[in-house]
Amino acid sequence: MTRIITGIQPSGNITIANYLGAIKQILELQKDEQNEILIFIADLHAITVNQDRIALKKHIRELAALYLACGIKTDKCHMFIQSEVPCHNQLGWIMECNSYIGELERMTQFKDKKQKQTDGITAGLLTYPPLMAADILLYDADVVPVGEDQTQHLEMTRNLANRFNNKYGETFKVPEALVNKNTAKIYSLVEPTLKMSKSDPNPKAYIALLDDINVAKKKIKSAITDSEGSIRYDKENKPGVSNLLTIYSALTNISIKDLEEKYKNSNYQQFKEDLANIVEEFLTNIQNKFNYYIKSNELDLILNSGRDLAYHLASRKIQKVYKKVGLGRN
Ligand code: TYM
């Protein structure tokens, strides 16, 4: 059996980049009988930056419904909310106590977020990677499907696992990141050299899975390209067109080579029109299912059963870890 875990922060509107970077990989992995999959809503991570209470609650529930709407199968995947399994905080603290300030300060995502943060940088923003390590190590995960932006955190997780194992004896499995090289980094539609991010202040930069369909189509049609006019993949010189080709290819499973051939005599307008229609079909399908799940009682039952399984696995691990570290009386 291979155990797989991944999470998404409910810190904004889940985007097509989150889908292509992480969720789509799960859709493939759940086809394999040998895989046991845990997916969670990383709400504790979301509060490392300021969150409105009401909006956070809404985003947590929406993310649960979206996972299902995207095609996550509950017989293969156990879905839970991170804050409902307190073992994450417990192991998070132990991981923090095994992390060094210097290595945390060197994390690219910390440096980026620190620069953007206008109203004070929380300690949680700095100590985010040890909590992420705890999320993974608690379950002895073998594989962690993520986008490229999380690979540094995964490397830190591996370091922490090895560090702990060396200090206290074999305790944690050392996990591998699973990154799909084609969709590892989807870029902003307005600044195609920057990653597409759900917390981008400019909503034109991303396609959210819950965007109004016409708004989403407009975003594709007004995506930044270049003045050359030819539809070919050249990440360096044509980042905008290359990004759109990546999205098109990932949503249709048509190779970029075949797309270049298909559009060799076309213009950007036609290409974008077609991609907008593909995005329309993709979003319509997800939103129809989302509208069902968000109102359904099933959602709470699924989250309850995911929480119970996660708690069962995580609490056993935490007991072992406490013993190894010498905490408490047992
Ligand atoms: P988050 O919420 O920022 O992103 C969720 C997933 O989407 C991927 N992703 C992207 N993939 C391709 N292109 C992009 N532009 C893009 N933007 C985001 C991310 O790599 C991620 O896989 N720290 C994590 C959440 C987390 C987690 C974990 C993940 C907490 N604990 C344990 C895995 C395992 C995060 O902030 O993801």
Side-chain angles (χ1 to χ4, degrees), residues 231 245 248 252 254-267 270-271 274-275 278:
I231 297 148
L245 277 166
Y248 195 139
T252 56
I254 303 174
S255 73
I256 290 187
K257 237 186 169 36
D258 287 350
L259 288 175
E260 286 175 334
E261 182 59 29
K262 177 173 158 105
Y263 288 102
K264 70 174 183 227
N265 297 318
S266 283
N267 54 30
Q270 183 60 55
F271 171 63
D274 289 357
L275 178 54
I278 285 158

Side-chain angles (χ1 to χ4, degrees), residues 85-97:
V85 184
C87 312
H88 288 249
N89 306 64
Q90 291 175 293
L91 187 59
W93 175 248
I94 291 171
M95 288 296 137
E96 267 184 58
C97 294

Side-chain angles (χ1 to χ4, degrees), residues 6-9 17-18 21-22 40 42 45 128 132 135-136 144-147 149-150 183-186 195-196 198:
T6 200
I8 299 184
Q9 287 189 61
N18 301 130
F40 67 97
H45 280 95
Y128 175 117
M132 179 158 162
D135 298 338
I136 298 165
V144 186
V146 282
D149 62 339
Q150 295 301 322
T183 52
K185 191 167 182 183
I186 303 295
K195 80 163 183 176
M196 184 182 283
K198 57 174 131 58

Side-chain angles (χ1 to χ4, degrees), residues 189-202:
L189 299 177
V190 294
E191 264 183 90
T193 51
L194 302 178
K195 80 163 183 176
M196 184 182 283
S197 165
K198 57 174 131 58
S199 50
D200 198 310
N202 181 359

Side-chain angles (χ1 to χ4, degrees), residues 132 146-158 177-179:
M132 179 158 162
V146 282
E148 187 185 280
D149 62 339
Q150 295 301 322
T151 51
Q152 199 183 30
H153 293 160
L154 250 297
E155 214 31 61
M156 171 103 198
T157 302
R158 292 167 55 83
L178 184 70
V179 179

Side-chain angles (χ1 to χ4, degrees), residues 132-192:
M132 179 158 162
D135 298 338
I136 298 165
L137 301 180
L138 262 181
Y139 301 98
D140 281 325
D142 301 280
V143 172
V144 186
V146 282
E148 187 185 280
D149 62 339
Q150 295 301 322
T151 51
Q152 199 183 30
H153 293 160
L154 250 297
E155 214 31 61
M156 171 103 198
T157 302
R158 292 167 55 83
N159 289 341
L160 281 168
N162 283 321
R163 193 175 296 164
F164 191 99
N165 288 346
N166 289 337
K167 193 166 162 189
Y168 298 104
E170 205 57 29
T171 311
F172 296 119
K173 203 167 242 182
V174 182
E176 299 282 342
L178 184 70
V179 179
N180 179 324
K181 66 175 183 0
N182 299 322
T183 52
K185 191 167 182 183
I186 303 295
Y187 293 86
S188 154
L189 299 177
V190 294
E191 264 183 90

Side-chain angles (χ1 to χ4, degrees), residues 83-117:
S83 65
E84 294 184 359
V85 184
C87 312
H88 288 249
N89 306 64
Q90 291 175 293
L91 187 59
W93 175 248
I94 291 171
M95 288 296 137
E96 267 184 58
C97 294
N98 284 279
S99 305
Y100 299 106
I101 297 269
E103 61 188 346
L104 295 176
E105 281 175 340
R106 281 196 297 276
M107 291 286 127
T108 313
Q109 203 167 64
F110 172 69
K111 288 195 275 187
D112 284 355
K113 287 198 173 174
K114 184 175 155 192
Q115 237 170 20
K116 288 184 198 145
Q117 198 64 16

